[in-house]
Amino acid sequence: MKYRRFGKTALEVSEIGFGAWAIGGAVKLGNLPIGWGRTDDDESMTALHTAFEEGVNFYDTADFYGLGHSEELIGNAFGNDSKVIIATKVGQKPGLSKPVEIDYSREYMLQACEASLKRLKRSYIDYYQLHVASIDHLQQGDCIEAMNHLVKQGKVRYWGISLFTYNPFPEAEYMLKYQMGDGFQLAFNMINQKAIPLFNAMHEKGYGIIARMPLQFGLLAGKFKPSMQFDETDHRSFRLTPGIINDANGLLKKLEGLCSKYKTDPASLALSFILSFPEISTTIPGIRTAVQARENSRHAVELQQEDRKLIMDMFECGFENLLSQMQKQG
């Protein structure tokens, strides 16, 4: 495992992190699935420990994942171990009149931080993130004030924002303009390359960058068939249609030559593409099993520039259309 500095912070994070949304378990809010289907807690705990044994020291979760269950598992696995870097998020909660409510009031954020610390069994959170806050939330300012207060209290070491999947620019540009926070989490992979224009400014101003969705909900591993049936508690049940899976598999076929060249598989190629950008601090594939923990941690390769460019060029020749299809699904 290799490690990179997270922006100007003191954090040295593993290039491959642990995306912990998937271990939150099967949760629905009304008819809306907000998890990845049914999980086994013993298997999740084994995955967490296996990842650590493979050199993973960065674990990304949220209080919304499993409505706290993902945080609880991480807390049970590692407790207050300073060798483990924990990133979690705040701002989303079950709503009264709708499935998901957004709350960035100062009072709620302070309460939510205390609850996360209790579940994580930590005295502080290494990196605390606004869970897709909008430009209106940032301009209103309560969430910024709350984060700065938590840092002064010593309950949070560093903070940042998890940006929107399809249009990260307004919030990112606002944070950059006013030099707020320490990092960004953004959606970035071979299918979704929209955030690339932001990398240079983020890096130059000393922000750490977390690339989420590196495998685009598993599509880029190339293991799904159009007939795939997802559990009703899995958010992919409405996001990954047979047409989307079929189109993704067709595009992956065009990359078979690169997989052969580097003696690797589609998932590793996808992770390697992300890590070929030096501005990226870490990427966080969703991990559910020990096998996934080992595979994701061991097989990244160093892409030649010409091969990275080939993948980037494919964005306008297929991946962008696929991304548009996914955006329509929500």
Side-chain angles (χ1 to χ4, degrees):
M1 180 63 68
K2 296 179 181 179
Y3 300 84
R4 300 185 183 188
R5 176 64 62 88
F6 190 78
K8 290 183 178 178
T9 74
L11 303 176
E12 291 282 345
V13 298
S14 50
E15 287 186 336
I16 302 293
F18 191 111
W21 181 12
I23 64 172
V27 178
K28 292 181 74 175
L29 296 179
N31 293 321
L32 179 68
I34 63 167
W36 292 68
R38 294 172 177 81
T39 56
D40 179 273
D41 285 353
D42 290 337
E43 186 174 56
S44 298
M45 290 292 285
T46 301
L48 288 164
H49 288 298
T50 300
F52 185 74
E53 292 165 4
E54 293 292 332
V56 173
N57 73 347
F58 184 80
Y59 293 77
D60 178 86
T61 185
D63 58 5
F64 197 61
Y65 298 166
L67 302 182
H69 190 59
S70 177
E71 288 184 330
E72 289 174 346
L73 288 169
I74 291 172
N76 291 336
F78 303 117
N80 212 31
D81 189 341
S82 61
K83 296 188 293 294
V84 177
I85 297 170
I86 303 297
T88 192
K89 308 179 194 74
V90 63
Q92 296 187 7
K93 65 182 184 181
L96 297 176
S97 60
K98 54 185 178 180
V100 182
E101 181 179 337
I102 305 300
D103 191 340
Y104 284 112
S105 66
R106 186 178 187 276
E107 181 181 9
Y108 174 72
M109 286 182 60
L110 299 186
Q111 292 174 354
C113 182
E114 293 291 345
S116 286
L117 287 169
K118 184 176 181 180
R119 287 189 291 266
L120 290 165
K121 299 182 179 179
R122 305 275 290 192
S123 57
Y124 59 83
I125 295 167
D126 294 289
Y127 182 60
Y128 205 29
Q129 302 161 89
L130 301 170
H131 204 167
V132 292
S134 71
I135 190 72
D136 290 340
H137 295 123
L138 299 178
Q139 291 174 338
Q140 194 277 333
D142 276 8
C143 57
I144 308 298
E145 181 185 343
M147 283 295 196
N148 289 333
H149 178 74
L150 289 167
V151 171
K152 288 180 182 178
Q153 283 189 313
K155 294 178 180 178
V156 170
R157 294 179 68 189
Y158 306 103
W159 71 273
I161 183 171
S162 180
L163 297 166
F164 287 100
T165 298
Y166 300 106
N167 183 17
F169 295 96
E171 293 74 26
E173 290 167 354
Y174 186 86
M175 297 278 286
L176 288 167
K177 179 180 179 180
Y178 293 103
Q179 297 281 289
M180 295 175 172
D182 304 287
F184 295 96
Q185 181 174 148
L186 44 79
F188 175 53
N189 55 52
M190 293 195 297
I191 294 173
N192 188 348
Q193 301 181 29
K194 286 188 173 293
I196 290 177
L198 292 168
F199 290 177
N200 188 55
M202 290 176 174
H203 181 68
E204 284 188 348
K205 293 191 176 183
Y207 287 87
I209 305 176
I210 304 166
R212 74 171 181 271
M213 295 168 60
L215 302 179
Q216 192 68 41
F217 304 141
L219 275 179
L220 290 171
K223 296 180 179 179
F224 296 154
K225 295 181 179 180
S227 59
M228 179 76 180
Q229 294 290 316
F230 295 98
D231 188 87
E232 64 174 9
T233 61
D234 189 331
H235 72 100
R236 294 174 296 180
S237 61
F238 69 89
R239 286 194 164 109
L240 299 188
T241 65
I244 285 173
I245 294 173
N246 184 68
D247 288 353
N249 289 344
L251 289 166
L252 286 177
K253 282 189 174 296
K254 298 180 179 181
L255 296 174
E256 288 178 349
L258 287 185
C259 289
S260 297
K261 176 179 178 178
Y262 290 99
K263 296 180 174 58
T264 192
D265 57 30
S268 175
L269 185 69
L271 296 174
S272 301
F273 171 68
I274 293 168
L275 295 175
S276 71
F277 290 82
E279 301 92 344
I280 298 296
S281 307
T282 183
T283 186
I284 48 171
I287 295 175
R288 298 162 65 109
T289 67
V291 171
Q292 291 174 344
R294 283 190 288 268
E295 289 180 348
N296 288 331
S297 302
R298 293 180 178 179
H299 300 306
V301 297
E302 188 170 339
L303 292 184
Q304 296 175 7
Q305 288 298 309
E306 63 199 51
D307 295 326
R308 186 178 82 167
K309 185 177 184 305
L310 186 154
I311 295 172
M312 291 176 69
D313 289 344
M314 284 185 63
F315 180 66
E316 296 181 356
C317 302
F319 281 136
E320 186 172 23
N321 179 60
L322 180 59
L323 183 65
S324 295
Q325 292 181 57
M326 298 201 70
Q327 186 172 0
K328 291 177 182 177
Q329 291 300 122

